[in-house]
Amino acid sequence: MLNNQYYRAAYEFHQKWSPYPVTLDDWSKAAGDMCKISNECDNDMLLMDLLVSAYSDLEREWKSARERGEIGDEGI
């Protein structure tokens, strides 16, 4: 059975870190945030997949911004 709470949690995570974390410390905090959210929901596989997808989207946006020259290497 689907749980809308998981979609909401993943959405809020994505909104919190959008368009992408900037510094290496921010990326680390985002990863820690993902783990915290997942642990609070008993590491449900659906939620974990949603969070990983959101994190991957943030990474994709960061790489795209870097390729366009909008940011430097400060986030590496």
Side-chain angles (χ1 to χ4, degrees):
M1 182 183 314
L2 297 179
N3 187 332
N4 288 337
Q5 155 191 347
Y6 298 156
Y7 291 103
R8 172 58 58 186
Y11 172 80
E12 289 174 359
F13 168 81
H14 193 269
Q15 290 301 332
K16 177 179 180 179
W17 293 102
S18 286
Y20 46 79
V22 177
T23 67
L24 187 56
D25 188 49
D26 288 343
W27 282 104
S28 180
K29 287 177 184 176
D33 202 15
M34 264 181 33
C35 291
K36 179 180 178 237
I37 294 166
S38 182
N39 288 337
E40 288 171 354
C41 295
D42 296 324
N43 297 310
D44 181 85
M45 290 302 295
L46 173 61
L47 176 59
M48 291 170 63
D49 287 345
L50 292 169
L51 290 170
V52 168
S53 292
Y55 192 88
S56 295
D57 186 60
L58 298 173
E59 180 183 23
R60 182 185 56 77
E61 287 294 328
W62 177 82
K63 286 179 179 179
S64 179
R66 191 165 165 233
E67 288 173 4
R68 292 189 307 269
E70 294 173 5
I71 57 173
D73 293 336
E74 64 273 6
I76 299 178

